[in-house]
Amino acid sequence: MPRKGELSKTARASLANREEVNHLTSRICAKCGEPIMLKELQPVKVIGKGMVYYHKSHYNIQQ
């Protein structure tokens, strides 16, 4: 158990794995068909289809 003021082992590992660099991902936007930068990536789970990826500015809930 972590001491007072320290992060748990899981929390430390999560911070270490976080990507800080905004880079081009291999994901393609379902709306415009262009590659998506990491900071703009909006993954959406669609029942029966799996994961679909959008630019954050292209995704809206009324789809």
Side-chain angles (χ1 to χ4, degrees):
M1 186 146 185
R3 294 186 180 124
K4 187 174 182 179
E6 291 182 346
L7 295 174
S8 67
K9 186 165 64 170
T10 307
R12 281 194 310 264
S14 176
L15 285 175
N17 290 335
R18 185 175 296 163
E19 295 184 52
E20 294 294 328
V21 180
N22 187 21
H23 65 275
L24 193 63
T25 63
S26 61
R27 309 297 185 199
I28 304 296
C29 181
K31 191 167 188 177
C32 70
E34 295 182 13
I36 308 171
M37 297 295 281
L38 183 62
K39 300 270 185 197
E40 300 171 354
L41 183 64
Q42 179 67 46
V44 179
K45 187 171 188 176
V46 178
I47 297 172
K49 192 172 182 183
M51 295 301 290
V52 179
Y53 304 94
Y54 295 94
H55 288 99
K56 285 185 179 179
S57 60
H58 291 173
Y59 178 72
N60 58 10
I61 298 191
Q62 274 84 23
Q63 290 190 354

